[in-house]
């Protein structure tokens, strides 16, 4: 009960000052949350959600999803690709497992994980973004234990409208051009909207070896949407959308050998490092209102992703190691739900089907294998010496180890095909039991099955020492070398596996939600909700044993207290959520033997997360809006054992990687006259650890704390606007991630990724 007591005590403190106010509608009361399947105002939504509207996207100079993420309490970006929600990485906190922990949805279509690495990150012609914190498994199902991000693009209307925008950004020499327009085809019956955007940037780094910009990027997106409301069927609305995104992104890791690396931003890889993504998305949303209370909604989503990644594995100027990864993913989803909106009861129930098909994922390359720390060569040498009856003293062990290249290079070729099918039934409701009291409830029953094939070939590419070059007395060094050569070769040979088929057991389960809410008055409420989230399990192949294995799903119970309030004639909004997440059966990698390839994922982890979000908006005057938020998330592994240097190591007590404990955001928008507008905003995140799979007491929080101040100001009228904007106004230097981050590894190529420096941009807009 201690975990519940912590949640309740903070919420009670927030609610203690509740007083009555006049019922005056505020700007926040008009914000509608759609991600809970039933449209509700933000103040009537107890789930922790941050909503960014189209007006905010323009006023705060937000051009991509990373800008949104970094300005939201308890949500942060990780090296520009992944993101964390409440300290939980969207992919995995332990580094293992095939299911994601958070998902991005575009118009209801879930994106594959590779799509989050490069795009579609632009938010051009987007009407609203909803960022849900905490398990959303009851309504969203798979891949939402940490939360979900929903992006809704602008719908067609029956009034002609359009926008043109051009942005030029200094320092990175970036150009962004966008156009959007639409209107009626048949008055009140058929309308369309088209939107396109192109972006290209030189980035901030340079590679003299390849004579190219390091973190260059380029993207193109196009989207068409059709709204159909046939006269013959009153209450029927059909929304069809198709989009195409083509994105390329360079690498941002730089070499730290120069005297001023954060300003030089140099890298020396001879092979390319580049991400390329092509994504097509089609959605069909059909809504039919039977009457004022009942409606039926069908959402059909399809997307296809082609993704390739090329990487210089040694990151140096010599042609030593590189790899490529190519995958194609096709996702088809179908949701059918009925909604009821009554006087005291509103709810939704529905079914969900999903099929994710990976017809081919292939990885090829020349890879560096750390013989000392990865394979545990010193321990192997000691055992071999003892087996030969020779003394295993440090000098002898050190000499033999020094004869081997480190890293040793291996040729690796692997392929994977996979099908994932999901079936679910879900319901969610809120019921006004009596005056002031509301019951919240729901559940989801989710079933998932996986099948596919896998194949892998491993060969040694490095040259091992020749036994003939070593003496046989007084120690049989020649025999020792020959034995080690064969042992290392056998490890690689054992990892070679022919095509293997796998079929997973059935994953999923019962995911309930139950809560109670109390309305102090029309403007203040307190609610407490318990819900269960999950991450699906998986099936893979043990490379060394060439046998399939399965691991179960993870489960987490989330205990959350929410406070919603409006003050000062509803001009001030203060909302808060406190939570405790109890996470069990986490998927971690377990080393089964001394062979580096003999690893499997098992459900051997346990952790908890506790924290809060407080968000406020204040319509201070008719010309000035103020807003701010505070997020706190304390992450900790309760059970976590990994293999380090061939030995099991207990890392209980470690924090999650890239999990800042505090995030703070604040801003102001000022409209002194009808034509002038200015916004200034700042966001702060505390430092965090980069790795969770090492003893964190041996190194510091290498992802540095940062405070970024941004602004946008300009002149506008109904048809034209010109603006000046700046990001990282005080040019703060900070490290996002650093490699190596392990005191046990001696890597001369020390590398890091820095945050973007100070930039300014000029922006022109035209609209009708």
């Amino acid at each position: 009960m201690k975990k519940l007591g912590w949640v309740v005590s903070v919420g009670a403190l927030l609610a203690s000052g509740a007083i009555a106010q006049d019922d005056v509608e505020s700007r926040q009361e008009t914000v509608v949350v759609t991600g809970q399947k039933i449209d509700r105002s933000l103040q009537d939504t107890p789930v922790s959600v941050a909503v960014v509207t189209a007006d905010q996207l323009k006023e705060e100079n937000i051009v991509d999803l990373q800008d949104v993420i970094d300005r939201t309490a308890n949500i942060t970006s990780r090296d520009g690709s992944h993101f964390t929600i409440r300290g939980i990485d969207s992919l995995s906190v332990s580094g293992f497992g095939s299911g994601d922990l958070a998902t991005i949805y575009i118009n209801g279509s879930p994106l594959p994980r590779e799509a989050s690495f490069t795009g579609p990150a632009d938010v051009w012609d987007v009407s609203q973004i909803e960022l849900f914190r905490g398990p959303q498994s009851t309504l969203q199902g798979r891949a939402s234990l940490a939360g979900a991000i929903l992006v809704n693009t602008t719908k067609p209307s029956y009034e002609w409208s359009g926008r043109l925008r051009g942005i030029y950004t200094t320092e990175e020499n970036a150009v962004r051009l966008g156009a959007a327009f639409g209107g009626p085809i048949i008055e009140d019956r058929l309308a369309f909207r088209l939107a396109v955007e192109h972006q290209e940037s030189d980035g901030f780094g340079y590679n003299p070896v390849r004579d190219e910009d390091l973190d260059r990027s380029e993207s193109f997106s196009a989207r068409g949407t059709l709204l159909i409301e046939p006269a013959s069927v009153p209450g029927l609305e059909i929304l069809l959308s198709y989009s195409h995104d083509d994105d390329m992104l360079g690498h941002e890791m730089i070499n730290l050998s120069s005297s001023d690396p954060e300003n030089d931003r140099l890298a020396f890889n001879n092979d390319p490092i580049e991400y390329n993504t092509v994504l097509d998305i089609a959605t069909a949303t059909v809504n039919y209102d039977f009457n004022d209370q009942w409606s039926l909604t069908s959402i059909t989503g399809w997307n296809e992703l082609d993704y390739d990644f090329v990487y210089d594995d040694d990151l140096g100027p010599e042609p030593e190691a590189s790899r490529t990864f190519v995958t194609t993913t096709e996702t088809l989803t179908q949701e059918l739900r009925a909604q009821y909106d009554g006087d005291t009861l509103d709810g939704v129930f529905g079914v969900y089907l999903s099929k994710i098909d990976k017809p081919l994922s292939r990885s090829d390359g020349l890879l560096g294998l750390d013989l000392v720390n990865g394979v545990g060569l010193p321990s192997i040498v000691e055992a071999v010496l003892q087996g030969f009856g020779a003394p295993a003293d440090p000098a002898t062990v050190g000499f033999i180890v020094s004869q081997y290249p480190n890293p040793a290079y291996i040729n690796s070729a692997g392929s994977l095909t996979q099908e994932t099918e999901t079936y679910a039934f879900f319901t969610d409701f809120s019921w006004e039991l009596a005056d002031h009291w509301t019951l919240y409830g729901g559940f989801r029953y989710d079933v998932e099955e996986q099948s596919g094939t896998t194949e892998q070939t491993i060969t040694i590419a490095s040259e091992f020492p020749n036994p003939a070059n070593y003496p046989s007395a007084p120690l049989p060094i020649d025999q020792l070398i020959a034995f080690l050569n064969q042992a290392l070769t056998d490890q690689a040979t054992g990892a070679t596996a022919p095509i293997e088929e796998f079929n997973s057991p059935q994953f999923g389960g019962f995911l309930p939600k139950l809560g109670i809410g109390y309305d102090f008055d029309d403007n203040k409420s307190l609610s407490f909700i318990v819900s269960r989230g999950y991450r699906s399990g998986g099936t893979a192949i043990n490379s060394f044993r060439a046998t399939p294995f399965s691991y179960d799903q993870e489960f987490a119970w989330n205990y959350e207290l929410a406070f919603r309030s409006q003050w000062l004639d509803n001009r001030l909004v203060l909302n808060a959520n406190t939570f405790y997440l109890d996470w069990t059966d986490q998927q971690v990698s377990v080393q089964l033997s001394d062979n580096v390839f003999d690893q499997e994922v098992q459900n051997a982890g346990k952790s908890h997360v506790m924290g809060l979000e407080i968000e406020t908006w204040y319509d201070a005057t008719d010309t000035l809006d103020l807003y701010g938020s505070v997020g706190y998330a304390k992450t900790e592994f309760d059970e976590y054992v990994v293999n380090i240097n061939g030995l099991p190591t207990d890392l209980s007590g470690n924090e999650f990687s890239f999990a800042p404990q505090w995030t703070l955001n604040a801003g102001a928008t000022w409209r002194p006259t009808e034509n002038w507008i200015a916004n200034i905003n700042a966001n702060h995140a505390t430092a965090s650890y980069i790795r969770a799979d090492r003893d964190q007491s041996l190194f510091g929080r290498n992802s540095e704390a940062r405070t970024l101040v941004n602004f946008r100001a300009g002149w506008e009228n109904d048809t034209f606007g010109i603006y000046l904007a700046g990001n990282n106004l005080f040019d703060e230097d900070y490290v996002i991630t650093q490699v190596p981050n392990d005191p046990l590894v001696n890597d001369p190529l020390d590398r890091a990724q820095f945050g973007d420096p100070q930039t300014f941009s000029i922006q022109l807009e035209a609209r009708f």
Side-chain angles (χ1 to χ4, degrees), residues 635-669:
T635 65
E636 184 176 341
F637 281 101
D638 301 313
E639 297 175 9
Y640 188 27
V641 177
V642 301
N643 181 74
I644 300 178
N645 288 342
L647 299 174
T649 304
D650 188 353
L651 298 181
S652 300
N654 271 11
E655 297 180 20
F656 299 170
S657 58
F658 296 95
Q661 290 190 11
W662 289 97
T663 53
L664 298 93
N665 304 274
T669 300

Side-chain angles (χ1 to χ4, degrees), residues 284-305:
T285 302
V286 180
N287 187 80
Y288 180 63
D289 294 329
F290 292 97
N291 50 47
D292 292 339
Q293 294 180 323
W294 284 98
S295 63
L296 185 68
T297 301
S298 169
I299 302 176
T300 305
W302 170 89
N303 64 65
E304 184 176 68
L305 171 78

Side-chain angles (χ1 to χ4, degrees), residues 521-561:
D521 53 40
D522 291 339
N523 300 317
K524 296 165 198 68
S525 65
L526 188 69
S527 60
F528 178 71
I529 296 177
V530 180
S531 62
R532 193 187 196 200
Y534 100 108
R535 179 195 190 197
S536 63
T539 298
I541 301 293
N542 181 307
S543 298
F544 175 67
R545 302 172 188 238
T547 57
F549 65 90
S550 297
Y551 48 94
D552 290 334
Q553 58 265 47
E554 305 173 346
F555 287 104
W557 283 100
N558 187 61
Y559 308 88
E560 188 143 348
L561 189 71

Side-chain angles (χ1 to χ4, degrees), residues 118 127 158 224 266 343 362 425 462 498 532 544 591 655:
T118 58
S127 63
Y158 295 111
L266 299 175
D343 294 333
R362 184 163 186 86
F425 171 79
S462 292
R532 193 187 196 200
F544 175 67
Q591 188 80 28
E655 297 180 20

Side-chain angles (χ1 to χ4, degrees), residues 174-293:
V175 175
R176 187 180 293 270
L177 302 172
F181 70 97
I185 299 175
I186 301 175
E187 191 66 31
D188 296 329
R189 295 291 173 256
L190 184 64
F192 78 99
R193 189 167 184 86
L194 300 175
V196 295
E197 185 179 44
H198 173 74
Q199 175 275 143
E200 58 183 57
S201 166
D202 292 343
F204 304 102
Y206 177 67
N207 185 330
V209 176
R210 294 182 55 80
D211 188 26
E212 68 182 12
D213 296 312
L214 184 64
D215 52 334
R216 66 204 180 281
S217 65
E218 185 174 355
S219 66
F220 173 79
S221 63
R223 180 173 57 251
T225 310
L226 196 64
L227 174 64
I228 307 170
E229 295 180 289
S232 58
V233 188
L236 176 64
E237 179 187 274
I238 302 172
L239 191 66
L240 307 176
S241 177
Y242 188 91
S243 66
H244 174 82
D245 286 89
D246 195 336
D247 300 273
M248 183 279 294
L249 179 65
H251 197 52
E252 296 185 271
M253 295 296 290
I254 65 171
N255 193 284
L256 296 178
S257 59
S258 72
S259 59
D260 190 13
E262 61 267 36
N263 290 315
D264 295 338
R265 303 205 180 205
L266 299 175
F268 303 100
N269 49 285
N270 67 294
D271 291 313
I273 302 178
E274 188 174 288
Y275 306 84
N276 290 278
T277 302
V278 178
L279 179 67
D280 291 277
I281 305 174
T283 58
T285 302
V286 180
N287 187 80
Y288 180 63
D289 294 329
F290 292 97
N291 50 47
D292 292 339
Q293 294 180 323

